[in-house]
Amino acid sequence: SQTIHQWPATLVQPVGSPLSLECTVEGTSNPNLYWYRQAAGRGLQLLFYSVGIGQISSEVPQNLSASRPQDRQFILSSKKLLLSDSGFYLCAGTSGLDNEQFFGPGTRLTVL
Amino acid sequence: GESVGLHLPTLSVQEGDNSIINCAYSNSASDYFIWYKQESGKGPQFIIDIRSNMDKRQGQRVTVLLNKTVKHLSLQIAATQPGDSAVYFCAETAPDSWGKLQFGSGTQVVVTP
C-alpha cells in the first residue's frame, strides 16, 4: 500500500528565512503528487500538483515553489518566508487509475 | 467558482448513536467523492469513497450516500465511538482534473459519553 512520508514534523522559522519541506512516497510508482496548506480550523487549499518528474502546476499565486526531482520525491520551498506562510502543510499522492489520495502526516510550520 | 461545502460546522453525538454528516457540492461534473477523517495535528485519513455511478456505498460502520439530483453527499457513522471524534471533510474531483480534490470546510464531530 502507498505510504507518504513528510519531514520535518514541526518547524519554526524566522521571517525572511528559506524553507524546504520534503515529501517522499513508498509503495507506488509514477504517482500524482500534491501539496496542500491548511490554516488552523480550516479546510485544505491545494498549492501545487505534479503528474511527473519536473512537472509542476501551481494552483494559487504565492511565495512558495515546488519541485519534483525524482518520481517519488516532492519538495516545497521558499526563498524568503512570510508570516502568512505559517500553517499545516500536507503532501498527498495518488496512483494508477484510482483517484484515491493518501496523505502524509503533515508539517506544522510557524513563521515568527 | 465551483465549491464543496458542509451544512454543519460542529456535530455533537452521544456515544452509541448514529452520526450523519452532510455535504453539498456545486460542480455537476464531479464524478468521484471522498470522505476523510482528520484528527488533531494529523493528516487526513481516507474513510470511504463513491463514484457518481453509485448512490450508496458501505464500509465498516460507515455508509456514504450520493444524491446527484440535488448534489448532496452524506456520511453516516453507525454506533459512534469516542475514537470517531475528529474533523470530517468531504472532497470531490471531476474528470480530466489530474485528481485534484476540492475540499469542503469540514465538520467537527464531538462524541460525548
Side-chain angles (χ1 to χ4, degrees):
Chain A
S1 63
Q2 184 178 153
T3 304
I4 309 287
H5 300 281
Q6 287 185 246
W7 65 91
T10 60
L11 189 60
V12 180
Q13 291 284 98
V15 168
S17 64
L19 173 74
S20 181
L21 302 181
E22 188 154 349
C23 169
T24 59
V25 182
E26 280 185 6
T28 187
S29 59
N30 196 30
N32 288 351
L33 297 174
Y34 309 83
W35 276 112
Y36 293 88
R37 177 169 56 204
Q38 185 177 31
R42 304 292 294 274
L44 282 73
Q45 178 188 33
L46 179 64
L47 303 176
F48 300 95
Y49 70 97
S50 171
V51 300
I53 297 173
Q55 299 180 63
I56 306 294
S57 296
S58 175
E59 286 295 292
V60 292
Q62 59 202 311
N63 185 43
L64 302 168
S65 62
S67 62
R68 187 167 176 179
Q70 300 180 47
D71 180 48
R72 285 176 274 186
Q73 184 184 27
F74 203 23
I75 298 172
L76 185 69
S77 304
S78 174
K79 293 182 179 178
K80 289 185 178 182
L81 284 169
L82 306 173
L83 289 174
S84 57
D85 291 326
S86 293
F88 191 45
Y89 288 85
L90 290 154
C91 179
T94 61
S95 63
L97 299 175
D98 199 333
N99 281 337
E100 179 181 328
Q101 281 191 26
F102 292 91
F103 282 81
T107 295
R108 176 75 60 192
L109 172 66
T110 303
V111 183
L112 302 175
Chain B
E2 304 286 6
S3 65
V4 179
L6 294 174
H7 294 305
L8 298 174
T10 304
L11 178 65
S12 184
V13 182
Q14 194 161 17
E15 183 177 356
D17 287 351
N18 297 334
S19 304
I20 300 177
I21 307 166
N22 296 302
C23 179
Y25 66 95
S26 57
N27 186 357
S28 56
S30 294
D31 67 344
Y32 181 61
F33 304 85
I34 307 176
W35 280 101
Y36 286 95
K37 172 186 179 183
Q38 187 177 27
E39 297 174 317
S40 181
K42 297 183 179 180
Q45 176 186 2
F46 173 91
I47 301 174
I48 193 168
D49 60 358
I50 189 168
R51 296 199 175 273
S52 58
N53 61 352
M54 303 173 67
D55 53 20
K56 180 179 180 180
R57 192 166 187 219
Q58 290 184 291
Q60 187 178 9
R61 284 201 307 118
V62 295
T63 300
V64 55
L65 299 177
L66 175 62
N67 186 330
K68 294 180 288 294
T69 302
V70 296
K71 298 190 186 71
H72 185 267
L73 190 70
S74 69
L75 177 70
Q76 300 177 3
I77 305 173
T80 310
Q81 302 170 359
D84 294 328
S85 292
V87 177
Y88 290 80
F89 293 96
C90 64
E92 51 93 5
T93 187
D96 302 323
S97 64
W98 301 107
K100 293 183 292 180
L101 293 174
Q102 287 282 344
F103 280 85
S105 56
T107 293
Q108 175 78 55
V109 172
V110 178
V111 181
T112 58

